[in-house]
Amino acid sequence: MIVLIVNCGSSSIKYQLYDMPGRKVLAKGLLERIGEGASALTHRRGEEKFEIARPIPDHKTGLSLILSCLADPGRGVLKNVREISAVGHRVVHGGERYSNAMRIDQDVIGCIGDCCDLAPLHNPPNLVGIQECTLALPGVPMVAVFDTAFHQTLPREAYLYGLPYEIYERYRIRKYGFHGTSHAYVTNRAAKLLGKPEAEVNLITCHLGNGSSMAAVRNGKSVDTSMGFTPLAGLVMGTRSGDLDPAIIPYLNSKQEYSRVADIDRMLNKKSGLLGISGISNDMRTLGDEAAKAGASSRPQLAINIFCYRIKAFLGQYMAILGRVDAVCFMGGIGENSAAVREQCLAGLENFGIAIDLQKNRNFPRGEECDISEAASRTRVLVIPTDEEGWIAEETYKLCK
Ligand code: ADP
């Protein structure tokens, strides 16, 4: 069964074509800068890479280019796009309604629309992707896989803020959590690696990339997570601040430089985090290189230290919440690739039953799953390359097969 996965952003479309079951990737690609004149599609088939530069005014034209690429005799992998049996859409916000992937019908489309207010940058383009795919592939079932769904099992004490209860009732302000597909996928893999049923594993999953979040997982279900009402909360990220004292916002707003709330919002989302602290970059590799040159008291090193400190603080919180932790899991660009960050986050936790094997942490084969803990460590430490698209393909296949 051929399954197409589509992730529609405001000016981009990411896609992957799978042969299911077995999650074999037939082709994938990224269309960028839609509506900006210099649009470019990078399409990959196995090791082959094709670059197509041409103006793409809108998502409709973009999807039609992608579909024609997939069935192109020179670059494609299909004889005809009618071989596509289902389409899985990554949808950022499912509100309080969806705790699972859903076959898309008018009701689901209505709910995604209702959640546009909660995710104004993401849900509208997600909806456009669904509408355009429905037009281009009539009769093909579509599935929505929500970034928020895995965290719908949070108990009320974890998802409610200390605000007047009416604010939750009136404006739906609560913790939703994001990166759900990654936390769900890694929970599934970790259970397999630990040789336990998913319903019996307790985990702390750490998705560390440009955007970063952690989740506390009890008996296979998310019971707390670091992102909140929006993906700005929690850990220090590439350009996002993570948690801060809410009183900072009205205080800054009283200063002339930040008299517009939109400027505060932009600063918190785009100019903070690793970039804002270091003054150099949001990229962990660059910061590692710069810190090695500039020394322990440099701002790049300070940015790395704050990043790791915040992760360790959440680890402590989640150990207390879970009581028993079978494994701490690392995924995402930084979680999978930075031995230094993993080592710094876990340093000194031996008394809590967490000890990594420093050699294994540094030397295990890139891109593979690995248990990097010492044999005596009560809690396992696992590095698990995440596969959000593969998980969306699985969910789509399960609902449509
Ligand atoms: P996104 O959230 O955009 O999907 P990724 O998961 O791709 O981000 O993670 C990007 C981050 O991973 C960047 O900060 C990058 O520097 C970091 N990263 C990738 N490879 C390495 C590496 N070998 N060592 C340290 N950091 C790395």
Side-chain angles (χ1 to χ4, degrees):
M1 179 169 155
I2 306 291
V3 173
L4 175 66
I5 299 308
V6 175
N7 182 354
C8 241
S10 55
S11 64
S12 71
I13 306 175
K14 268 194 219 161
Y15 61 96
Q16 273 196 60
L17 191 71
Y18 285 88
D19 191 358
M20 300 296 287
R23 253 191 280 144
K24 181 168 186 245
V25 178
L26 302 174
K28 62 180 173 181
L30 171 64
L31 174 57
E32 292 177 286
R33 298 189 292 281
I34 296 171
E36 290 173 26
S39 319
L41 172 66
T42 309
H43 173 78
R44 293 170 195 272
R45 176 178 67 179
E47 297 298 305
E48 292 173 284
K49 181 170 152 188
F50 305 91
E51 308 265 7
I52 303 165
R54 77 171 62 148
I56 302 286
D58 50 32
H59 288 77
K60 185 187 183 68
T61 321
L63 267 167
S64 124
L65 174 65
I66 290 168
L67 291 173
S68 68
C69 249
L70 291 172
D72 182 87
R75 308 178 268 241
V77 286
L78 303 174
K79 285 206 182 68
N80 192 304
V81 289
R82 282 198 288 274
E83 287 169 56
I84 297 171
S85 301
V87 183
H89 293 269
R90 178 181 179 205
V91 179
V92 165
H93 222 301
E96 293 192 296
R97 184 89 179 270
Y98 298 123
S99 50
N100 285 303
M102 295 296 295
R103 270 287 279 270
I104 296 175
D105 56 16
Q106 279 314 314
D107 195 36
V108 174
I109 288 181
C111 176
I112 298 171
D114 289 344
C115 293
C116 282
D117 183 35
L118 298 173
L121 298 181
H122 296 101
N123 272 33
N126 296 160
L127 261 187
V128 170
I130 292 169
Q131 278 151 358
E132 294 304 336
C133 280
T134 309
L135 288 174
L137 299 168
V140 174
M142 309 268 152
V143 168
V145 180
F146 301 95
D147 247 17
T148 48
F150 184 62
H151 303 300
Q152 276 300 302
T153 46
L154 259 60
R156 293 215 298 178
E157 59 269 27
Y159 74 67
L160 285 177
Y161 293 113
L163 293 169
Y165 193 78
E166 299 73 45
I167 296 225
Y168 162 61
E169 292 180 313
R170 232 178 274 154
Y171 305 111
R172 297 186 287 170
I173 291 180
R174 50 159 283 177
K175 181 187 282 193
Y176 290 98
F178 299 88
H179 283 148
T181 46
S182 180
H183 292 288
Y185 170 77
V186 165
T187 296
N188 177 271
R189 287 303 310 156
K192 293 209 165 73
L193 293 173
L194 294 168
K196 279 184 152 193
E198 209 173 307
E200 287 174 21
V201 287
N202 282 12
L203 306 168
I204 301 175
T205 50
C206 313
H207 180 110
L208 310 178
N210 245 323
S212 296
S213 69
M214 290 170 60
V217 175
R218 176 181 290 125
N219 298 330
K221 302 217 180 302
S222 178
V223 291
D224 205 351
T225 189
S226 60
M227 283 179 171
F229 177 61
T230 73
L232 180 59
L235 301 174
V236 166
M237 306 179 216
T239 61
R240 291 178 229 157
S241 64
D243 286 347
L244 41 86
D245 180 342
I248 292 169
I249 293 164
Y251 180 77
L252 267 181
N253 196 223
S254 71
K255 308 290 170 197
Q256 210 202 331
E257 191 188 356
Y258 286 106
S259 59
R260 283 155 34 119
V261 174
D263 290 337
I264 300 181
D265 192 48
R266 193 169 319 113
M267 179 270 289
L268 294 174
N269 277 291
K270 305 266 185 222
K271 297 183 185 169
S272 298
L274 294 174
L275 172 67
I277 300 164
S278 69
I280 290 180
S281 173
N282 62 313
D283 191 291
M284 187 54 86
R285 270 168 304 197
T286 309
L287 293 183
D289 294 346
E290 291 300 319
K293 280 187 249 160
S297 57
S298 65
R299 273 171 53 188
Q301 186 61 56
L302 177 64
I304 298 171
N305 293 349
I306 295 174
F307 181 82
C308 294
Y309 178 87
R310 188 73 66 91
I311 293 165
K312 186 182 272 192
F314 268 99
L315 276 172
Q317 209 183 109
Y318 291 168
M319 281 191 259
I321 286 169
L322 293 172
R324 185 201 87 228
V325 182
D326 298 315
V328 174
C329 307
F330 286 96
M331 66 273 199
I334 299 171
E336 290 164 33
N337 296 303
S338 176
V341 165
R342 291 192 299 264
E343 188 175 328
Q344 192 168 339
C345 295
L346 299 177
L349 296 182
E350 295 80 6
N351 285 337
F352 294 93
I354 301 177
I356 55 169
D357 179 323
L358 296 179
Q359 290 310 319
K360 261 196 220 161
N361 180 40
R362 282 180 211 148
N363 300 325
F364 75 91
R366 274 277 162 82
E368 288 189 15
E369 294 175 341
C370 189
D371 181 340
I372 56 166
S373 34
E374 276 185 1
S377 181
R378 205 162 58 232
T379 294
R380 304 279 93 208
V381 180
L382 306 173
V383 180
I384 300 181
T386 195
D387 185 6
E388 293 171 271
E389 287 81 11
W391 187 252
I392 297 174
E394 287 288 353
E395 297 277 75
T396 304
Y397 174 70
K398 267 195 281 178
L399 284 177
C400 298
K401 71 180 174 200

